[in-house]
Amino acid sequence: MSAHSPTHTRALKVADQIQRDLTELIARELKDPRVGMITLQSVEVSPDYAHAKVFFSVLAGDVEQTQQALEQAAGFLRNGLFKRLHIHTVPTLHFILDRTPERAADLNALIARAVASRSKDN
C-alpha cells in the first residue's frame, strides 16, 4: 500500500477519528478512578481494521494502573466507538504506553543542566 493510496488515506482518517472519539469517551464516559490525566498520542489501525494500537502517555496518575484500567475498559470504549463511527468493523483496541513525552522531558532536563554547568565554567 503506497503512502498516498486511497486505502492508506482512509486508514489514517479512521485512526484520526478513533483518536478524537476515544479522547472524548475517556474524558466524559470512563469513570475509572485509576485513569488519571492521559493524552492519546496516536492511533494506528491495522490494514483490515481489526486492531487499533492506541498510544497514550500519562500526565498524572499511576502508569501501570492507568494501563490496566484502559485495557479493562477496552470493550466498553470499543462499544462507545460502535455508536459513533460509521464503519463496518470497529477495531479491537490495544493500549500501548508511549514514553516519548517522558523521554523528551528527561532530555530537556539533561540539556538544561549541561547549559547551566557550562555557563558556570565561563
Side-chain angles (χ1 to χ4, degrees):
M1 169 166 45
S2 75
H4 298 292
S5 73
T7 308
H8 182 73
T9 303
R10 178 161 160 44
L12 289 175
K13 284 181 182 174
V14 169
D16 190 47
Q17 188 62 49
I18 287 172
Q19 183 175 348
R20 283 197 303 271
D21 287 346
L22 275 179
T23 298
E24 199 172 297
L25 283 166
I26 289 168
R28 294 190 180 159
E29 296 182 30
L30 187 60
K31 304 293 185 219
D32 193 320
R34 296 175 297 169
V35 177
M37 287 181 56
I38 67 167
T39 299
L40 299 186
Q41 303 291 3
S42 64
V43 174
E44 292 176 6
V45 180
S46 63
D48 61 357
Y49 298 97
H51 299 275
K53 291 180 186 174
V54 181
F55 296 91
F56 71 97
S57 61
V58 178
L59 305 172
D62 181 273
V63 171
E64 284 166 18
Q65 282 190 347
T66 298
Q67 180 143 19
Q68 282 179 338
L70 288 170
E71 287 169 1
Q72 287 173 357
F76 168 79
L77 294 169
R78 185 172 183 237
N79 201 20
L81 289 175
F82 264 115
K83 296 171 186 165
R84 292 163 175 255
L85 294 172
H86 302 289
I87 59 174
H88 191 49
T89 305
V90 174
T92 300
L93 304 173
H94 305 278
F95 289 93
I96 299 165
L97 180 64
D98 182 354
R99 294 196 181 270
T100 304
E102 237 173 85
R103 287 196 299 267
D106 290 346
L107 280 173
N108 285 337
L110 281 173
I111 292 166
R113 279 198 296 267
V115 168
S117 70
R118 185 179 294 158
S119 59
K120 278 184 207 162
D121 295 345
N122 288 339

